[in-house]
Amino acid sequence: MAPQRLQIAVAGLGRMGWRHAINILNKTPRADLVAAFSPDAKELERGRKELEPYGVTLYDDYDKMLQHPGLQAVVISTATSVHAEEAIKAMNKNLHVLCEKPLSTSVKVCQEVVDVAASKPHLKVMCGFSRRFDDSYQDVAKYIKEGKIGRPTIIRSQTCDKNDPSGFFVAYAAWSGGVFVDMSIHDIDLTLWYFGSNVVPKSISASGVVAVQGGLKQHNDYDNAVGIVEFWSGQIAYYYASRMMPHGQEDVTEVIGTEGKLSVNLNPQKNLVPHDYWGRFEGGFVKESNEFTAACLDSTPLPLELQGAVKAVQIGVWLQEALVSEKQITFDQQGRRTQRASL
């Protein structure tokens, strides 16, 4: 008897969605890519050439794709502004969901997704924090759990994109939520993984500059930003986000503990210097696809809990507010703000 296979559709065939589609098609042995959706004519044309020959049905209507015969799961890689709506629609059709980060740029809407998922415990719903599936970052989590560096006290983490002079980042900034919500969300998620998801911010501050992507100013965004989050637990997170690295993607993390330090990619070997984001994290995305598929087919727990995706966005939103307002945000020990919002 042939093993059960997961029937998956991909929503969005842009940069990230296309990569998910190819991973499911070629590198996820227990899954079949049966359908894909895009509202973009050029993306659909590419799909007709490279996906249809493998039995993938293409749709220009998301709701119609959800009705594809035998569909069991959806990977959502569309614009952030519709992530939540599409995730909820899929869950209401009794479909498992892997949604690219963030669930939304709105904390309230993120929570709505989590609440719907909680009402349907038979479904597997996961936010795609890809670094959770990268071998190096998984090793850091393992060593921290084993007490190899004592108590983790400082995390210094960065997400730095290769410079793209095409104007993509400027157009993307119109709905991305800002550099901290879009980029540093990965570093924030790592903080919640390594420090513990129950950490409570004490203060948040940020600064930024527009150095090469002048058009970002119209969206109140920056191509370089630094943020600092101090926690009541006596721990500090330092984040750096950049969209202007000329040499390629440079994502680096240090976790400094009371008895040692762990680092990822601080001293890259020649074959670990990537050209772009995909060059660095392709392996993590493949593992993510396979672990999500296994959880759906075998009814096993997902490797990360969904509520953390809400807290990561909340911290990202506060960092973005501190960046734009140029004001520090402070909190009491219960996590309540001690001043009114500046935006």
Side-chain angles (χ1 to χ4, degrees):
M1 182 177 178
Q4 184 185 10
R5 300 171 65 83
L6 189 68
Q7 308 299 294
I8 303 183
V10 170
L13 289 174
R15 294 187 182 192
M16 192 59 68
W18 188 262
R19 291 160 176 167
H20 279 295
I22 297 304
N23 273 348
I24 296 166
L25 198 63
N26 298 322
K27 298 181 179 180
T28 312
R30 300 183 68 192
D32 294 316
L33 180 66
V34 297
F37 153 76
S38 175
D40 185 279
K42 290 183 179 179
E43 292 176 3
L44 289 174
E45 180 59 30
R46 183 183 185 187
R48 278 188 281 273
K49 293 177 181 178
E50 302 182 42
L51 299 179
E52 271 191 346
Y54 296 94
V56 180
T57 303
L58 299 175
Y59 294 87
D60 61 4
D61 185 301
Y62 179 76
D63 293 330
K64 289 182 179 179
M65 186 193 73
L66 295 184
Q67 298 173 27
H68 186 88
L71 187 63
Q72 295 170 288
V74 177
V75 175
I76 297 173
S77 300
T78 45
T80 303
S81 56
V82 295
H83 280 182
E85 176 187 355
E86 291 180 346
I88 290 171
K89 281 184 175 181
M91 286 187 279
N92 286 336
K93 289 290 186 181
N94 208 36
L95 300 172
H96 304 293
V97 175
L98 169 55
C99 183
E100 266 302 321
K101 62 80 195 166
L103 297 175
S104 170
T105 58
S106 161
V107 177
K108 179 177 180 292
V109 175
C110 285
Q111 189 61 53
E112 289 173 3
V113 175
V114 173
D115 292 344
V116 172
S119 72
K120 301 177 183 293
H122 62 291
L123 295 179
K124 301 298 180 181
V125 183
M126 188 171 83
C127 187
F129 286 110
S130 54
R131 289 180 210 181
R132 293 269 188 151
F133 301 91
D134 178 79
D135 290 344
S136 296
Y137 285 102
Q138 288 185 340
D139 279 349
V140 170
K142 175 177 177 288
Y143 295 145
I144 289 174
K145 186 176 181 180
E146 293 173 351
K148 295 292 180 65
I149 63 167
R151 182 174 186 265
T153 305
I154 305 292
I155 184 168
R156 182 165 55 192
S157 196
Q158 69 179 47
T159 298
C160 295
D161 285 340
K162 179 177 172 61
N163 182 39
D164 183 346
S166 70
F168 170 80
F169 289 140
V170 174
Y172 183 50
W175 44 266
S176 71
V179 67
F180 283 119
V181 174
D182 176 52
M183 298 177 67
S184 296
I185 195 81
H186 286 291
D187 307 291
I188 298 166
D189 178 63
L190 291 175
T191 303
L192 299 178
W193 193 15
Y194 298 153
F195 282 0
S197 60
N198 60 341
V199 289
V200 178
K202 182 178 182 181
S203 69
I204 291 178
S205 55
S207 296
V209 296
V210 177
V212 296
Q213 304 271 349
L216 289 171
K217 293 179 180 179
Q218 65 185 299
H219 301 300
N220 275 334
D221 206 9
Y222 300 77
D223 52 24
N224 286 268
V226 171
I228 296 176
V229 182
E230 178 187 11
F231 297 98
W232 280 102
S233 53
Q235 296 162 299
I236 292 175
Y238 171 101
Y239 306 124
Y240 171 45
S242 175
R243 296 218 189 263
M244 71 172 198
M245 291 295 166
H247 54 278
Q249 192 77 19
E250 187 176 316
D251 299 332
V252 169
T253 299
E254 293 177 277
V255 184
I256 302 159
T258 54
E259 298 174 23
K261 185 184 88 166
L262 296 164
S263 61
V264 177
N265 211 38
L266 278 183
N267 296 293
Q269 300 174 21
K270 183 177 180 181
N271 65 349
L272 292 181
V273 180
H275 173 71
D276 56 18
Y277 184 82
W278 193 246
R280 170 62 182 85
F281 290 109
E282 181 180 4
F285 280 97
V286 172
K287 185 180 289 188
E288 176 186 67
S289 178
N290 281 275
E291 290 197 22
F292 174 72
T293 296
C296 294
L297 291 176
D298 303 333
S299 297
T300 52
L302 290 166
L304 61 160
E305 54 95 21
L306 194 59
Q307 188 64 48
V310 182
K311 188 166 185 174
V313 169
Q314 177 64 88
I315 293 175
V317 167
W318 282 328
L319 280 162
Q320 197 71 24
E321 179 187 337
L323 175 63
V324 175
S325 68
E326 300 181 345
K327 295 180 180 179
Q328 185 183 61
I329 304 172
T330 56
F331 307 83
D332 65 19
Q333 294 190 49
Q334 285 70 50
R336 297 171 300 202
R337 290 181 62 141
T338 55
Q339 84 278 76
R340 298 181 64 179
S342 300
L343 296 178

